[in-house]
Amino acid sequence: MKTILLDALTIAGKDLKGELRSKQTIGMMLVFSALVIIIFSFAFDPTSNTVKAIIPGLVWVITIFAGILGLNRSFVSELENHCLTGLRTAPIDPSSIYLGKVLANFSLVTSVQLISIPVLFLLFGYRFTGSYLWFCCIVICGTIGFIIVGTFLAALAANAKNSEMLLPVLLLPLISPLLIAGVQATRIVLESLEITDAISWLKLMIAYDFLFLAVCFLLFEYIMEES
Amino acid sequence: MMKEMADMLEIKNLTKVLADKLVLKNITLTLNKGEVLAVIGPNGAGKSTFFKCVVGLLQPSSGDISFAGRQLTKKSLIAKRKIGFLGHESYLYSSLSSVENLLFYGKLYKVNHLEEKIPLLLKEVGLHLFKDVPIRSFSRGMIQRLSIARVLLSEPEILMLDEPHTGLDQEAVALLNRIILSKKAAGISIILISHDFEQVHKLADRVAVLKSGRIIDTLTMGEESNLYEMKEWYEKVVTEG
């Protein structure tokens, strides 16, 4: 397991180094998040009470759709010079490729969230009165689950002709339970309602994360195999 | 026991079915320590599929592959470390420099003393002056040189080279041949797929002809064997086989 983790860190480090140099994917994700925030700030009057109702949804819209842009790139970039084949011939467990990609994608999406969520609150003039700790827990749990499933499906879709279109079609139905739980829990925390209700949703998200991590971890080597 | 030591790679009745088509049919081959075996044959004969099965990119439908007496499986990570595979593609990352690419693969192959080995290897393949340049600006020949460095980095005991001379200029061909012969002299076993008969004649100790997924004949190259005779033998074997 230690070797798998070390190899995963090597792969994630390589991805992040490449991304830091080109800033191609993160730039695209940030531009998309900014556009969503600006469009919604025009569509809804930031001074009205509807803002409170749409903010939890917006947090997840930004996370999911900006995240899909990054997920699409994570395996497509490995197809250049058949680098994925290079990884498959290396003496590493295929699960470490998956884990490395999960780590890199999670870092990218979290970076986008760290910038876009404060900007969202700022532009909508939203005063945060809830618990920062619970809010962070919910966002992290939801993001992990999304990345776990998204990375697996991105690998599955990478060899398809229209991988950019295929990924959202496969991913969105599969993450709908996580998304519903995420939006509900975020709403409860942001509206400073009874935290025990949010904990129930959080438990659901944690269970989802563990279940899909185990499934994707075990199945990844089969989707890496050629026929 | 002596035989096991001599046979670095032993392939027994290797068969591969792809999309209901029998691509490899009962291939049986051995590769001895320090031997260069060239696999030649017409296009679509199954040469690359044969390589992919040996390096673990494809699972054989049946048959056994043994490395130094141990059967290779999907989980044979130690054996994978001992096999260096140079494919049609470079498997290198365009956004990274030569050093960064080698560092990345070196870490995955658990190579010790990478900081010392990488400059030496880059010098050996003539890329030391371009060590920090992202490889997206490299020519085909430079990429191939770096691919060779990537393969040699883990100090493999078996080298599997799939058409390694393709796209190389004369200088690079001479460099590659020098490296192959020096590795052979160091006891490394090499399997080579090539359509370049001149290079096969220069390098190989034994030549196997693969046609329609079967090894139809093999030829042991002696010091006196000449290129013309080898070509004639190949044409005869392929026509009759």
Side-chain angles (χ1 to χ4, degrees):
Chain A
M1 193 63 200
K2 191 185 161 197
T3 319
I4 291 178
L5 276 174
L6 283 175
D7 291 336
L9 284 172
T10 305
I11 292 166
K14 180 266 298 170
D15 278 4
L16 293 173
K17 188 185 272 181
E19 184 52 38
L20 273 177
R21 196 165 291 166
S22 70
K23 296 178 188 72
Q24 207 178 359
T25 309
I26 201 162
M28 207 163 56
M29 290 161 83
L30 283 171
V31 167
F32 177 83
S33 311
L35 285 173
V36 170
I37 295 168
I38 291 167
I39 289 167
F40 275 84
S41 70
F42 279 115
F44 295 95
D45 178 8
T47 55
S48 78
N49 274 336
T50 49
V51 166
K52 263 193 173 178
I54 63 159
I55 288 239
L58 270 182
V59 168
W60 289 104
V61 164
I62 291 168
T63 303
I64 302 299
F65 288 97
I68 285 175
L69 294 176
L71 288 172
N72 263 325
R73 285 284 311 152
S74 71
F75 279 93
V76 171
S77 64
E78 294 286 346
L79 298 182
E80 190 188 5
N81 297 334
H82 291 233
C83 292
L84 197 55
T85 310
L87 291 182
R88 289 174 54 221
T89 55
I92 56 171
D93 195 291
S95 318
S96 55
I97 303 175
Y98 171 68
L99 215 54
K101 291 289 176 186
V102 166
L103 289 172
N105 288 331
F106 179 73
S107 309
L108 275 183
V109 174
T110 309
S111 311
V112 172
Q113 285 173 327
L114 280 172
I115 298 169
S116 59
I117 294 175
V119 172
L120 173 74
F121 288 167
L122 210 68
L123 274 183
F124 277 79
Y126 183 81
R127 253 189 76 235
F128 193 96
T129 53
S131 159
Y132 280 107
L133 184 69
W134 285 112
F135 178 72
C136 290
C137 274
I138 289 159
V139 171
I140 289 170
C141 272
T143 308
I144 289 174
F146 160 63
I147 295 296
I148 283 169
V149 180
T151 304
F152 181 79
L153 294 179
L156 196 67
N159 285 315
K161 264 186 184 171
N162 301 315
S163 61
E164 281 90 353
M165 282 192 274
L166 190 61
L167 179 62
V169 172
L170 294 173
L171 178 62
L172 292 175
L174 211 55
I175 57 162
S176 52
L178 184 80
L179 206 54
I180 293 166
V183 172
Q184 292 299 334
T186 311
R187 183 184 58 80
I188 292 165
V189 170
L190 291 183
E191 290 178 1
S192 308
L193 299 175
E194 191 63 49
I195 202 71
T196 47
D197 295 338
I199 290 172
S200 308
W201 289 113
L202 191 61
K203 279 181 185 168
L204 173 71
M205 290 160 83
I206 292 169
Y208 181 101
D209 291 1
F210 276 112
L211 176 71
F212 276 92
L213 179 64
V215 171
C216 296
F217 198 77
L218 291 173
L219 291 181
F220 190 76
E221 69 173 294
Y222 296 102
I223 63 167
M224 281 289 101
E225 267 179 21
E226 284 183 33
S227 56
Chain B
M1 186 64 187
M2 281 306 287
K3 189 177 180 303
E4 271 184 18
M5 288 301 284
D7 293 345
M8 282 303 287
L9 192 69
E10 192 171 10
I11 298 153
K12 273 187 198 162
N13 301 320
L14 178 70
T15 300
K16 179 67 189 172
V17 180
L18 276 174
D20 295 333
K21 196 182 165 215
L22 197 56
V23 183
L24 299 176
K25 299 167 194 168
N26 285 322
I27 290 186
T28 299
L29 267 179
T30 52
L31 178 70
N32 301 319
K33 193 170 168 62
E35 183 187 30
V36 179
L37 168 69
V39 179
I40 57 175
N43 289 329
K47 300 186 293 294
S48 294
T49 308
F50 165 65
F51 258 36
K52 284 180 179 176
C53 285
V54 177
V55 297
L57 286 172
L58 287 173
Q59 283 306 304
S61 304
S62 66
D64 294 326
I65 304 168
S66 309
F67 169 74
R70 284 190 181 176
Q71 197 171 332
L72 281 179
T73 63
K74 266 200 299 189
K75 302 279 179 190
S76 310
L77 297 185
I78 296 170
K80 262 185 162 181
R81 206 173 294 164
K82 309 259 181 192
I83 298 177
F85 175 53
L86 183 73
H88 284 180
E89 300 290 336
S90 66
Y91 312 147
L92 298 167
Y93 293 90
S94 305
S95 60
L96 304 181
S97 67
S98 310
V99 170
E100 287 167 339
N101 267 297
L102 294 182
L103 264 175
F104 173 66
Y105 277 106
K107 281 181 189 168
L108 294 186
Y109 278 81
K110 321 288 178 295
V111 179
N112 296 324
H113 312 297
L114 272 175
E115 285 74 15
E116 295 151 32
K117 275 184 187 167
I118 288 172
L120 291 176
L121 260 177
L122 285 175
K123 201 162 190 180
E124 192 176 349
V125 297
L127 287 175
H128 56 292
L129 296 175
F130 304 92
K131 64 187 174 81
D132 295 319
V133 181
I135 65 154
R136 69 165 64 88
S137 57
F138 279 18
S139 67
R140 164 86 181 118
M142 289 163 86
I143 296 270
Q144 186 72 339
R145 285 170 187 234
L146 189 59
S147 303
I148 294 163
R150 175 187 64 79
V151 172
L152 297 178
L153 185 64
S154 59
E155 296 177 353
E157 288 176 23
I158 295 179
L159 277 174
M160 304 201 60
L161 313 174
D162 193 353
E163 299 184 35
H165 299 96
T166 311
L168 294 182
D169 60 23
Q170 287 307 306
E171 191 195 347
V173 166
L175 172 87
L176 175 61
N177 287 354
R178 227 173 21 245
I179 291 173
I180 291 175
L181 292 173
S182 73
K183 296 298 164 191
K184 178 191 159 184
I188 292 171
S189 312
I190 299 162
I191 307 189
L192 174 80
I193 287 180
S194 185
H195 291 289
D196 190 335
F197 281 70
E198 199 182 324
Q199 308 309 330
V200 168
H201 178 255
K202 274 182 194 165
L203 300 168
D205 298 314
R206 198 151 51 98
V207 182
V209 180
L210 187 70
K211 191 190 171 192
S212 307
R214 284 185 305 120
I215 298 285
I216 52 172
D217 205 355
T218 56
L219 174 73
T220 304
M221 307 286 282
E223 277 180 19
E224 288 167 9
S225 60
N226 71 53
L227 180 61
Y228 180 73
E229 279 172 6
M230 194 190 100
K231 277 184 180 172
E232 270 199 336
W233 165 76
Y234 172 77
E235 274 166 27
K236 186 171 170 253
V237 163
V238 168
T239 315
E240 290 173 0

